[in-house]
């Protein structure tokens, strides 16, 4: 996994690195760029600070490899960087002369120049580069114009094809608008710096291998409570979550729905079992004995999909938080109920997972911006929960350890996607600790959706398409 660190810590690592380490990084970086065609040479936009310093060593390595190099240097660049370029025989010109680029262009401008008063020569160079469709644009540390810690974009930002990271990635590459500009994220080198978190990958997301001697109880009993009589299609969203849990590895799934939906479910449900709950005014009603039955059955409970503005939800949530000791996942309408009644999750005895998208999180914690990692982590820590804050980059944290999931596609911006994800998290939570379950499930769900979207197109992907692909993948 790629480590994620604060930009100031990475800059300090660059400043403290010796020449041997920087040369080794430059060599490793170019080796990793083996899919990039340098036939037309490499052009470097060199700014001040850590990015410029790394750029100088990359330019030097290109010269060693007989790659034609040009460097366009910002006026404020440190003399040591200039001398390094000169000693390597790199042709150096003023940044203001950067025009008509071709081939590979390295953006080594200072990424922290994202304020309203961006230097004019940097802005002109960035616009020139963005207007060149044939160039391969590689940013170093972070694209110019993108806040490296928050991902907030300035008026002018370089739209990179790749971002090359020194030892670790900055969080701004993933947060807020970062993924629109950072392209493919590649990291090289290993230098000591405190980690904010890690970007999940394929190796991390793998589930533990199943033992030959095992049974359905080994892989967890999951209860999904959802649906309402007043929301068209809501019961089927809850059913979708149950199916997602089944195809993602859960041993046994029980779908707990309102008794008025018996006919709708009996004609649809196959591998899952049914458990009916009393209803009042079209909503699942609070019933202690029925909830105790669910508690006795389940290793993991998902609560919320398709439940609507259920007036009994706060009471249901409070009862489960106080009486259930295993894993409870609150999703969708359950999160909106918590937002109105934050006290219901206080002093919970369960292992709690919250899965809000950024709109739901704004209701849960209106004072916290989703890119403010320090406060996001504090929210999880204070509520003693695992938080999966869903967006283009999903941040998963328990307040101590943090994972960044960048798998996925804009095609998932559609009703029902979150219900499917909650089912996948439930299946993983049956065999993994809550933090790992949420992070692994988010990665697998996102990668599956990416593959399906290639077939359906981003406009046409439906939540049930992802369920079908998860099922197909589980049979391979």
């Amino acid at each position: 996994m790629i480590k994620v660190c604060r930009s100031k810590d990475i800059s300090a690592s660059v400043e403290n690195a010796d020449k041997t380490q920087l040369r080794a990084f430059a060599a490793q970086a170019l080796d990793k760029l083996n899919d990039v065609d340098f036939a037309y040479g490499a052009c470097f936009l060199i700014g001040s600070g850590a990015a410029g310093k790394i750029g100088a060593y990359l330019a030097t390595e290109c010269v060693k490899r007989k790659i034609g190099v040009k460097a366009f240097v910002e006026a404020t660049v440190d003399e040591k960087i200039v001398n390094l370029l000169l000693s390597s025989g790199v042709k150096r010109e003023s940044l203001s002369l950067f025009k008509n680029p071709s081939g590979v262009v390295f953006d080594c401008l200072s990424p922290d120049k994202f304020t309203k008063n961006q230097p004019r020569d940097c802005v002109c160079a960035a616009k020139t580069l963005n207007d060149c469709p044939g160039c391969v644009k590689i940013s170093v540390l972070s694209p110019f114009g993108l806040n490296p810690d928050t991902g907030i974009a300035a008026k002018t930002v370089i739209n990179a094809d790749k971002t090359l990271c020194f030892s670790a990635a900055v969080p701004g590459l993933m947060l807020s608008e970062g993924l629109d500009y950072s392209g493919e994220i590649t990291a090289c080198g290993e230098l000591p710096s405190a980690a904010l978190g890690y970007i999940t990958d394929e190796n991390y997301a793998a589930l533990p291998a199943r033992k030959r001697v095992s049974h359905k109880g080994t892989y967890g009993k999951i209860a999904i409570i959802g649906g309402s009589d007043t929301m068209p299609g809501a019961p089927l969203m809850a059913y979708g979550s149950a199916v997602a849990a089944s195809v993602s590895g859960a041993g046994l799934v029980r779908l707990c729905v309102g008794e008025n939906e018996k006919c709708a479910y009996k004609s649809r449900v196959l591998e899952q079992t049914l458990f009916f709950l009393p209803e009042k005014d079209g909503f699942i009603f609070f019933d202690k004995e029925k909830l105790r039955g669910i508690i006795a059955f389940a290793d993991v409970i998902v609560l919320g999909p398709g439940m609507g503005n259920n007036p009994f939800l706060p009471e249901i949530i409070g009862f489960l938080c106080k009486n259930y000791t295993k894993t409870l996942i609150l999703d969708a309408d359950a999160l909106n109920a918590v937002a109105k009644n934050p006290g219901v999750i206080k002093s919970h005895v369960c292992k709690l997972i919250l899965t809000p998208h950024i709109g739901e999180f704004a209701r849960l914690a209106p004072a916290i911006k989703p890119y403010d990692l320090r406060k996001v982590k504090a929210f999880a820590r204070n509520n003693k929960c695992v938080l999966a804050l869903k967006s283009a980059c999903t941040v998963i944290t328990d307040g101590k350890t943090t994972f960044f999931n960048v798998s996925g596609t804009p095609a998932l911006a559609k009703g029902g996607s979150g219900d499917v994800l909650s089912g996948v998290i439930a299946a993983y939570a049956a065999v993994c600790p809550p933090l790992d379950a949420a992070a692994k499930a988010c990665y697998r769900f996102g990668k599956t959706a990416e593959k399906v979207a290639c077939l359906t197109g981003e406009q046409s992907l439906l939540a049930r398409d992802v369920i079908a692909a998860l099922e197909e993948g589980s049979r391979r």
Side-chain angles (χ1 to χ4, degrees):
M1 289 187 289
I2 296 176
K3 186 164 67 170
V4 179
C5 298
R6 294 180 302 177
S7 61
K8 70 176 186 179
D9 292 334
I10 294 175
S11 294
S13 294
V14 175
E15 292 305 318
N16 294 329
D18 59 32
K19 292 180 180 180
T20 301
Q21 290 172 314
L22 291 167
R23 286 179 183 137
F25 165 80
Q28 290 173 28
L30 289 182
D31 288 342
K32 281 202 170 186
L33 297 175
N34 55 11
D35 60 333
V36 176
D37 184 2
F38 286 95
Y40 295 98
C43 181
F44 288 82
L45 308 181
I46 304 286
S48 56
K53 186 175 183 179
I54 292 172
Y57 279 91
L58 286 169
T60 299
E61 182 64 26
C62 283
V63 171
K64 287 182 181 178
R65 300 187 183 203
K66 310 299 183 185
I67 298 170
V69 174
K70 284 185 179 180
F72 295 87
V73 182
E74 193 181 357
T76 57
V77 164
D78 186 273
E79 188 177 346
K80 291 180 180 178
I81 295 176
V82 174
N83 290 338
L84 178 60
L85 293 170
L86 291 172
S87 65
S88 303
V90 174
K91 184 179 179 182
R92 181 176 65 90
E93 297 185 52
S94 169
L95 187 61
S96 61
L97 298 178
F98 177 66
K99 293 194 175 47
N100 303 318
S102 61
V104 182
V105 181
F106 286 87
D107 157 32
C108 309
L109 300 173
S110 181
D112 61 359
K113 290 184 176 175
F114 50 81
T115 62
K116 293 180 180 178
N117 298 317
Q118 293 178 293
R120 184 176 178 181
D121 55 348
C122 292
V123 169
C124 291
K127 289 181 176 179
T128 298
L129 182 55
N130 284 340
D131 290 340
C132 178
C135 291
V136 177
K137 299 178 280 290
I138 303 175
S139 288
V140 173
L141 299 187
S142 179
F144 167 77
L146 187 71
N147 186 313
D149 288 313
T150 68
I152 295 175
K155 186 176 180 180
T156 302
V157 187
I158 285 179
N159 194 352
D161 298 304
K162 297 174 181 284
T163 297
L164 196 55
C165 304
F166 187 75
S167 178
V170 291
L173 298 180
M174 291 84 66
L175 299 178
S176 192
E177 301 164 90
L179 288 175
D180 282 337
Y181 298 101
S182 56
E184 180 186 345
I185 300 169
T186 302
C188 303
E190 282 293 333
L191 288 178
S193 50
L196 284 174
Y198 300 87
I199 301 175
T200 53
D201 61 16
E202 192 70 35
N203 291 331
Y204 166 75
L207 278 173
R210 291 196 171 206
K211 293 181 180 179
R212 176 82 180 227
V213 181
S214 59
H215 53 83
K216 61 188 177 185
T218 308
Y219 305 106
K221 293 178 287 185
I222 293 167
I224 295 179
I225 307 173
S228 66
D229 195 35
T230 60
M231 290 182 64
L236 295 181
M237 286 198 287
Y239 173 63
S241 186
V243 175
S246 294
V247 301
S248 298
L252 187 61
V253 178
R254 177 173 289 177
L255 187 55
C256 308
V257 295
E259 57 192 4
N260 291 344
E261 276 69 61
K262 282 183 180 179
C263 292
Y265 283 103
K266 283 184 175 180
S267 63
R268 295 290 297 270
V269 172
L270 298 175
E271 290 86 357
Q272 298 75 34
T273 61
L274 286 167
F275 187 81
F276 295 106
L277 297 166
E279 287 188 89
K280 185 176 181 180
D281 300 326
F283 295 108
I284 291 174
F285 185 64
F286 173 69
D287 185 307
K288 277 188 181 181
E289 293 311 308
K290 290 284 188 178
L291 290 175
R292 289 190 194 281
I294 295 171
I295 287 172
F297 164 80
D299 298 306
V300 182
I301 296 175
V302 178
L303 176 66
M307 293 188 76
N309 189 22
N310 186 323
F312 311 108
L313 254 176
E315 201 171 4
I316 295 171
I317 295 168
F319 184 83
L320 291 175
C321 283
K322 290 177 182 176
N323 294 277
Y324 185 55
T325 58
K326 296 180 181 179
T327 303
L328 174 64
I329 301 170
L330 298 184
D331 184 40
D333 295 310
L335 295 168
N336 293 327
V338 172
K340 295 176 184 177
N341 307 271
V344 297
I345 62 171
K346 298 296 182 185
S347 304
H348 61 79
V349 297
C350 58
K351 300 170 186 174
L352 185 62
I353 301 176
L354 305 182
T355 61
H357 56 61
I358 55 175
E360 290 164 337
F361 187 69
R363 293 189 283 273
L364 283 171
I368 301 176
K369 301 296 184 186
Y371 53 75
D372 190 335
L373 286 178
R374 183 179 63 83
K375 291 183 179 179
V376 167
K377 291 172 69 174
F379 175 89
R381 190 165 56 249
N382 293 339
N383 287 284
K384 298 179 181 178
C385 70
V386 168
L387 175 69
L389 179 50
K390 298 180 293 190
S391 187
C393 169
T394 296
V395 178
I396 306 104
T397 182
D398 61 358
K400 297 178 182 177
T401 304
T402 302
F403 293 101
F404 300 85
N405 179 64
V406 296
S407 72
T409 162
L412 288 171
K414 194 168 290 186
S417 297
D419 302 310
V420 177
L421 175 59
S422 66
V424 181
I425 293 174
Y428 278 61
V431 293
C432 298
L435 179 66
D436 285 332
K440 289 172 184 279
C442 287
Y443 179 86
R444 180 60 55 225
F445 175 69
K447 292 303 286 187
T448 303
E450 286 176 20
K451 293 174 183 176
V452 179
C454 290
L455 301 175
T456 64
E458 289 189 344
Q459 309 299 327
S460 303
L461 178 74
L462 296 173
R464 62 174 178 260
D465 297 328
V466 182
I467 294 173
L470 286 166
E471 185 173 8
E472 183 182 348
S474 67
R475 289 175 176 170
R476 288 175 182 171

